[in-house]
Amino acid sequence: MVPVLRAPSSGRARTGRCSTDSGQDMSDTEELTIPAPGEEPQARAGRPWTRQEVATCVAIFAAALAVRAVYLHESSANPTFYSLTLDSRDYYLRAVGLAQNGVIDTNFFWQPTFYPFWLGVLFKLTGPSILVAKILQIVLGAITCVLTYRLGCRIFDRRIGLLAGAIVAFYGPLIFYEGEIDTAGWAAFWSVALLILLLQTAAKGSGAWCVVLGICGGLGILTRPTFLPVMLTALIWLAAVFIRDRRTWTETIGRLARVMVGLLLVLAPAASECYRAAGHFGVLPTSGGLNVYLGNNEDTCKTLTIRPGFEWEELTLLPERHGCKTRQEASQFFYGKAWQYAKAEPFSFASGLGHKALQMANGREIPRNVDIYLFREWSRLLGLLVWKAGRFGFPWGVLFPLAVWGLVWGWRRIPLPLVLFVVLYLLGIVVVFVADRYRVPVVPAMSILAAAGCMSIIDMLRGRQWRALATACCVAAAVGIISNLSKPACEEKVNYASEMYALLAQNAEEAGQTGQARELNEKALELD
């Protein structure tokens, strides 16, 4: 057994950060295991930044940015790089309308509002440049890698932080969606920023940190609705920490109130603008009910594979035929249909949740409107970083089993918010439906757990701890096998190549490029 050091119990969350110091100050730490062979001790809270630490962050940022720049250069040859389709096109058009005419109408609230608003502000400053937006997104992705490194150091040690940062830096699906007009890159950034701020707020408890935490949580909610249950749980955890630290009720309520102020600074203007444009106060997208229904009904295989065109329009017009007059009413209509199905067919509903849980754990990237494997044709780098063989997919097929083992191995040192974030976010995906771009925001947190699991296995090899090593390998292998039992999803059988060229043909027709539209339609028919 690994010996344990116990520090005086102050009830405070650990405040250690990355450092190259060789000493360890145990005065502010919780229960810590003695480092394994080669493991660096916990850093001192008072000296988080050194020259070497700054150099490490710069190196991680530069490496992550270089990888993303190479991919962005290669992907510029793909036909949808500038000619956007489906959700990307919708985001772009709403942003252009906001930048050029200040238009915020009912359509603006169909999807989460932060991303088109951010694009609109950017386009107001720089013009409607798709390339500029993508360049800024890969810079944001490189920052996400640095933040992941810092969070990994804070929770475990510098080695694990470095490996976690490297995993995020080379994680193919994340790189892909950061190069698209899509919310996934921003959602990944908010996820790791929110965890860092939450731990910092619990440790410091200052009013400023509380307000910043609330602002970050609010922006996360406006980026992906899945952040809402995460933020509500975070508030409960913070209250428990403040009470455990024997703070007075006045202090506890005051700090939580500051978090709420931060939330309201972001959510209140969004809700007010929604009322002005759509007639109701709301911060969640009005497509929420439809998405829940798509993944929870008697024939999800059919609903999840409905493609743009007549069938999709028929589905979206269904609420209107039942008397719904607004998109909010339509959303409630679809929520009601999903709830009726769950009540009428509880076993079928539960079976569907179990099936989606297996899909969530499966290594293959399940497409929604875009098939990431299709775009390997235009990027050698993406071809190396994202691939599948049979029922196995890389990189999630490796990341997930390692993360599960990392959670088992390091559960005493992992702060509860990290675990809650991973569990609640993945459950949020399972409740709706599984898609690769919805898994991306949880990658930074999963990378820290996977890095911990990987380093524990390396230390077992060095220490010749064969029994422990066998246990680790068995757990990881069992998780890997079970998670890859699910058959290919119905969405994986859609011909996305043909659909892509058909959508590009529509873009060409709208632009008056009749000859190009004819060629693209012929290509779509050839691939069909």
Side-chain angles (χ1 to χ4, degrees):
M1 295 181 63
V2 180
V4 171
L5 294 178
R6 292 187 181 273
S9 177
S10 63
R12 296 181 182 273
R14 183 165 61 251
T15 58
R17 298 179 179 83
C18 304
S19 176
T20 56
D21 294 343
S22 59
Q24 183 176 14
D25 181 1
M26 294 296 296
S27 60
D28 291 328
T29 57
E30 296 178 331
E31 180 177 299
L32 300 176
T33 56
I34 292 178
E39 183 179 355
E40 294 184 8
Q42 278 293 111
R44 291 179 179 175
R47 297 180 59 188
W49 292 101
T50 64
R51 287 185 178 181
Q52 184 177 357
E53 181 64 16
V54 172
T56 301
C57 290
V58 170
I60 292 173
F61 177 85
L65 186 60
V67 172
R68 283 155 173 75
V70 169
Y71 168 71
L72 199 63
H73 171 70
E74 291 182 340
S75 67
S76 63
N78 87 60
T80 64
F81 191 86
Y82 290 107
S83 185
L84 305 175
T85 62
L86 299 173
D87 287 351
S88 294
R89 181 177 173 81
D90 290 342
Y91 282 129
Y92 177 79
L93 293 176
R94 287 168 193 152
V96 170
L98 176 61
Q100 295 181 348
N101 305 311
V103 174
I104 296 182
D105 55 14
T106 303
N107 291 332
F108 198 87
F109 298 92
W110 173 250
Q111 294 169 305
T113 55
F114 169 78
Y115 189 68
F117 182 81
W118 173 78
L119 278 180
V121 173
L122 176 64
F123 291 166
K124 185 73 173 178
L125 298 174
T126 65
S129 172
I130 293 173
L131 180 60
V132 170
K134 291 185 175 184
I135 289 174
L136 289 180
Q137 286 177 185
I138 67 171
V139 172
L140 182 75
I143 295 173
T144 301
C145 297
V146 175
L147 294 181
T148 304
Y149 158 69
R150 294 285 294 169
L151 183 59
C153 290
R154 177 169 191 150
I155 296 173
F156 289 103
D157 58 42
R158 190 166 181 268
R159 294 184 317 152
I160 291 174
L162 279 170
L163 181 55
I167 291 172
V168 178
F170 290 90
Y171 197 82
L174 180 56
I175 294 171
F176 172 78
Y177 282 107
E178 287 168 354
E180 296 290 303
I181 301 300
D182 191 84
T183 63
W186 271 106
F189 171 79
W190 294 131
S191 71
V192 66
L194 182 62
L195 288 170
I196 290 174
L197 288 170
L198 188 56
L199 295 180
Q200 187 71 11
T201 302
K204 299 291 185 181
S206 66
W209 282 113
C210 291
V211 174
V212 174
L213 171 64
I215 292 173
C216 179
L219 292 173
I221 292 169
L222 294 182
T223 304
R224 283 281 176 84
T226 324
F227 279 95
L228 180 58
V230 171
M231 197 60 199
L232 292 176
T233 308
L235 287 171
I236 297 173
W237 179 79
L238 267 183
V241 169
F242 292 151
I243 293 171
R244 185 192 65 184
D245 287 351
R246 297 178 182 177
R247 299 184 188 274
T248 64
W249 282 104
T250 302
E251 288 180 302
T252 299
I253 294 173
R255 282 166 172 77
L256 293 177
R258 288 182 176 90
V259 178
M260 293 302 299
V261 167
L263 277 168
L264 289 175
L265 285 174
V266 175
L267 299 182
S272 176
E273 194 63 27
C274 181
Y275 181 80
R276 183 199 64 79
H280 73 277
F281 287 101
V283 296
L284 302 180
T286 52
S287 60
L290 176 58
N291 285 331
V292 170
Y293 171 72
L294 289 175
N296 298 277
N297 60 77
E298 296 83 354
D299 191 359
T300 55
C301 191
K302 179 180 178 180
T303 54
L304 289 174
T305 54
I306 293 178
R307 309 315 303 157
F310 176 76
E311 283 189 294
W312 179 256
E313 291 184 6
E314 283 289 298
L315 178 63
T316 56
L317 290 174
L318 187 61
E320 184 177 335
R321 293 171 182 168
H322 285 77
C324 299
K325 298 180 180 180
T326 66
R327 286 196 165 180
Q328 178 65 9
E329 291 178 352
S331 183
Q332 295 302 319
F333 170 82
F334 282 117
Y335 277 126
K337 285 185 68 67
W339 176 241
Q340 289 172 6
Y341 163 68
K343 290 192 299 182
E345 302 286 345
F347 294 106
S348 177
F349 174 72
S351 175
L353 292 179
H355 178 66
K356 287 186 286 185
L358 284 177
Q359 286 184 328
M360 181 277 300
N362 191 276
R364 297 188 308 277
E365 303 298 321
I366 298 177
R368 178 56 190 145
N369 290 327
V370 176
D371 184 4
I372 190 173
Y373 299 110
L374 174 62
F375 291 87
R376 297 168 76 248
E377 176 182 345
W378 294 283
S379 173
R380 293 181 180 180
L381 179 63
L382 187 65
L384 292 173
L385 299 179
V386 181
W387 48 269
K388 60 181 176 179
R391 296 188 180 184
F392 174 79
F394 179 87
W396 185 267
V398 175
L399 182 74
F400 186 77
L402 281 176
V404 171
W405 168 245
L407 180 62
V408 172
W409 171 79
W411 68 273
R412 289 187 178 182
R413 298 177 62 179
I414 300 171
L416 185 60
L418 179 65
V419 179
L420 288 175
F421 172 76
V422 171
V423 172
L424 289 173
Y425 206 98
L426 293 180
L427 280 177
I429 296 173
V430 169
V431 168
V432 185
F433 58 81
V434 180
D436 54 357
R437 64 179 179 177
Y438 297 153
R439 284 196 310 204
V440 163
V442 84
V443 166
M446 293 285 284
S447 296
I448 294 172
L449 297 177
C454 184
M455 283 300 175
S456 73
I457 291 173
I458 292 174
D459 288 339
M460 290 171 193
L461 282 170
R462 288 177 177 175
R464 298 185 178 181
Q465 301 171 352
W466 308 121
R467 183 176 297 178
L469 180 63
T471 301
C473 292
C474 287
V475 171
V479 172
I481 292 171
I482 293 173
S483 63
N484 285 282
L485 286 177
S486 62
K487 298 178 181 179
C490 297
E491 302 94 302
E492 296 180 74
K493 301 173 184 178
V494 174
N495 190 336
Y496 292 95
S498 175
E499 179 178 287
M500 179 184 72
Y501 284 103
L503 292 171
L504 290 171
Q506 291 180 15
N507 291 351
E509 288 176 2
E510 291 178 6
Q513 300 169 347
T514 309
Q516 185 179 4
R518 185 181 300 110
E519 292 177 4
L520 290 168
N521 271 321
E522 290 174 356
K523 179 72 172 178
L525 289 171
E526 179 185 346
L527 292 170
D528 187 4

